[in-house]
Amino acid sequence: MDHEIIVVGGGHAGIEAALAAARLGFRTLIITQHLDAIGRLSCNPAVGGLSKGNIVREVDALGGEMGLLIDASMIQYRILNRRRGPAVQAPRAQADKYLYAWLAKEHLEAQKDLDLFQDTVTGLIMDGPGKPVRGVVTERGRRFEAKAVVLTTGTFMEGRIFIGPYSAAGGRLGEPAAIGLGSYLRSAGFRVSRLKTGTPARVARSSIDFRKVEEQPGDDRMLPFSFRNSSVSRPSESCYITYTNQRTHDVIRRNMEFSPLYSGKIVGVGPRYCPSIEDKVVRFPDRERHQIFIEPEGYMSEEMYLNGISSSLPETVQEEFLRTLPGLENVRVMRPGYAVEYDFLDPRQLFPSLEAKSTPGLFIAGQTNGTSGYEEAACQGLIAGINAARKLQSKEPVVLSRADAYTGVLIDDLVTLGTEEPYRMFTSRAEYRLSLRHDNVDLRLADIAAEIGLLGPEALERLDEKRAGIEDIQELLRRRRLDESMLPGPESPLKQHIGKRLFDVMKTPEGEPEQLRSLNMEGGALEIYPQDWLSVAALDIKYEGYIQRQERQVARFRKMENIRIPDSFDYTQVEGISTESRQKLMQIRPLSVGQASRISGVRNSDIAVLLVYLGRRKES
């Protein structure tokens, strides 16, 4: 056996899974259909965004690669929701998609204990139902054996492309589908369904009249996603905004019969929160216009991405409605928009470790589990790769809880509730989002990262230094009081708080992190600390009361999570549970009472019965 772990797929989940497995010391093989397509940003050329930016930083804090890749390839950086509270702020960066993919492949090729191979996986090597996976079979008849396999097939598993009346097998336009694996998994007893996603046209930059569109520049200062980088120095490109209008909508309505979404050709469910322009026109008939972002695909590329106007209408119809948009009257389409339908597995067939319940050693991550988005894929890939390695190490799997990370929320939602549409992460899905800010990710995941072992000693030392520094800042603010000499000027909004402890000043509406950085402290007491340390310290002080209340909620949550349910638990022996709840519990096989309480259809009264039964079982 040449390899111990095999990763299927070279997208964002596959990259993280393969690197994690190899870095934990296991001989790893990544098999992908096209080596030159590794790390492609298939849809929008951007990484991060609301909650997604938090996930990228979680991946980085645990030792993953996405943060490093976007730091080295970004061409615009913005903090979203800057005027709102810190719980819903998030970083987002436009990427040079070509540089991003090139760097991803380079990082894989340079990794020790990691080999790359181009082929299409069509099946698994197993001795029968319920038996451990032993490797994979490829389209060209090759057999590769391994002790663990991570599936990250993206939109390629039995994928099919649609543009008006045209349809063909494919995972991306111009790239073949992975035919055979979906059929194999169905025959092996997995629950497999279809989902749909889409992407807009790419147009020529030189054909856009920029005088008629609104410029959207990035922030003045680029900040790194990765905690392993102290700064980012990259050229910054502007994005632009235009809008649809009534003429646009009229063109779409006249040609709706040619849309595969409405003609019945596509059976998969599409993303609710990223609908095609056809869906927008149908669902919101009273809307006079829809906002469209024009985004560069790369620093040296002529192609521009039209965010917000994905379509699978015929190419000539796409050209017609695009030319009704201000600034796009003479636009030249370089690549048409299209829809892609593909197979995905019901994620309720997985444990929270992302290991298949029916097949020991088989881990599944990314869009194969019904998610959408590069970031959602990357965090799953990282956890799957880590847990594949830990299984071979005979260690307990890493399972992030809903109180630990957005990644924990995402995986818990998938394996507990499942999904019937492409799952997208939002801040509103996280009950403890005030504690899951993007600026404190490294601190809250430090202990878990150290136990996993993907971060080196230097990174862990920097974490200890940062934690100690933030404590020192807060102690300094407790001891010092605000006096007039500290103010940056006579018009400072902090003037009304002279005489108060700086700790208390930071809790006022005027006590923003920017004000803390502007104070003239004796001896430059605050200037010795990095700006991000000051921001974390200030925000922790400002929201101390809310955070403490949330910590009490988290403690109650963890109490339920810590009441474990054995994997072999027999629910038929528990009297007093409703039939529906019993069926759901037997299907999901939750690992804790907390997870059981989140299963749709399981009643609170049934959880109470379960708690009593488990208590008696423990006593006996």
Side-chain angles (χ1 to χ4, degrees), residues 93-106:
Q94 292 296 131
D96 184 322
K97 64 185 291 184
Y98 307 101
L99 178 57
Y100 186 101
W102 183 83
L103 289 170
K105 184 169 183 278
E106 181 185 59

Side-chain angles (χ1 to χ4, degrees), residues 41 43 45 73 75 94-100 201-208 210 234-235 237-238 240 294-306 332-335:
L41 300 171
C43 201
S73 61
I75 54 176
Q94 292 296 131
D96 184 322
K97 64 185 291 184
Y98 307 101
L99 178 57
Y100 186 101
R202 275 62 160 184
V203 301
R205 182 193 299 253
S206 58
S207 67
I208 299 171
F210 290 100
R234 293 277 305 156
E237 291 273 301
S238 287
Y240 302 87
I294 305 172
E295 303 173 345
E297 293 243 294
Y299 187 60
M300 301 294 290
S301 176
E302 170 75 351
E303 292 184 75
M304 301 290 279
Y305 177 90
L306 301 181
R332 298 191 306 275
V333 174
M334 298 180 70
R335 306 188 201 210

Side-chain angles (χ1 to χ4, degrees), residues 10 15 34-39 69 99-111 114 116 118:
I15 290 167
H34 197 331
L35 291 177
D36 294 331
I38 285 173
L69 293 173
L99 178 57
Y100 186 101
W102 183 83
L103 289 170
K105 184 169 183 278
E106 181 185 59
H107 288 202
L108 291 176
E109 291 173 336
Q111 178 60 48
L114 177 58
L116 287 70
Q118 182 167 304

Side-chain angles (χ1 to χ4, degrees), residues 178-406:
I179 303 298
L181 184 57
S183 300
Y184 169 84
L185 292 171
R186 285 183 172 87
S187 68
F190 286 90
R191 297 191 300 277
V192 183
S193 300
R194 302 284 279 176
L195 288 178
K196 168 263 171 187
T197 189
T199 193
R202 275 62 160 184
V203 301
R205 182 193 299 253
S206 58
S207 67
I208 299 171
D209 187 346
F210 290 100
R211 297 170 299 178
K212 298 181 179 180
V213 296
E214 176 187 337
E215 185 177 9
Q216 186 187 49
D219 291 352
D220 292 336
R221 181 170 174 241
M222 286 183 168
L223 299 174
F225 276 84
S226 176
F227 295 102
R228 287 165 277 180
N229 289 329
S230 57
S231 62
V232 171
S233 180
R234 293 277 305 156
S236 184
E237 291 273 301
S238 287
C239 295
Y240 302 87
I241 299 173
T242 187
Y243 296 88
T244 64
N245 52 59
Q246 199 58 52
R247 289 195 301 135
T248 317
H249 304 168
D250 288 343
V251 172
I252 292 167
R253 290 191 186 99
R254 284 201 311 269
N255 291 279
M256 198 66 76
E257 63 184 292
F258 303 113
S259 169
L261 293 175
Y262 290 92
S263 66
K265 288 185 177 180
I266 294 176
V267 297
V269 180
R272 179 195 307 248
Y273 302 104
C274 188
S276 68
I277 190 63
E278 297 98 290
D279 275 336
K280 290 180 181 179
V281 170
V282 170
R283 291 186 199 174
F284 311 107
D286 297 330
R287 286 284 295 272
E288 295 182 356
R289 65 179 192 172
H290 295 280
Q291 190 176 55
I292 309 300
F293 295 92
I294 305 172
E295 303 173 345
E297 293 243 294
Y299 187 60
M300 301 294 290
S301 176
E302 170 75 351
E303 292 184 75
M304 301 290 279
Y305 177 90
L306 301 181
N307 191 343
I309 198 164
S310 69
S311 177
S312 57
L313 284 165
E315 295 182 41
T316 53
V317 177
Q318 292 186 41
E319 292 173 354
E320 184 180 357
F321 73 65
L322 287 176
R323 288 172 181 153
T324 65
L325 273 61
L328 274 64
E329 293 87 350
N330 299 301
V331 76
R332 298 191 306 275
V333 174
M334 298 180 70
R335 306 188 201 210
Y338 61 90
V340 57
E341 188 182 53
Y342 55 95
D343 279 353
F344 84 105
L345 277 67
D346 183 346
R348 291 174 296 181
Q349 298 169 103
L350 307 179
F351 291 115
S353 63
L354 297 181
E355 184 178 19
K357 295 172 181 176
S358 65
T359 311
L362 176 63
F363 295 81
I364 302 172
Q367 285 184 279
T368 318
N369 286 337
T371 59
S372 68
Y374 315 132
E375 304 83 2
E376 289 90 338
C379 69
Q380 292 176 71
L382 178 65
I383 296 300
I386 289 169
N387 285 332
R390 290 177 73 87
K391 187 174 184 70
L392 301 193
Q393 294 170 330
S394 299
K395 292 183 178 180
E396 286 293 309
V398 169
V399 176
L400 300 177
S401 79
R402 303 180 73 89
D404 292 325
Y406 276 95

Side-chain angles (χ1 to χ4, degrees), residues 593-605:
V593 172
Q595 186 186 1
S597 69
R598 295 188 293 276
I599 298 173
S600 176
V602 174
R603 305 171 186 173
N604 290 336
S605 58

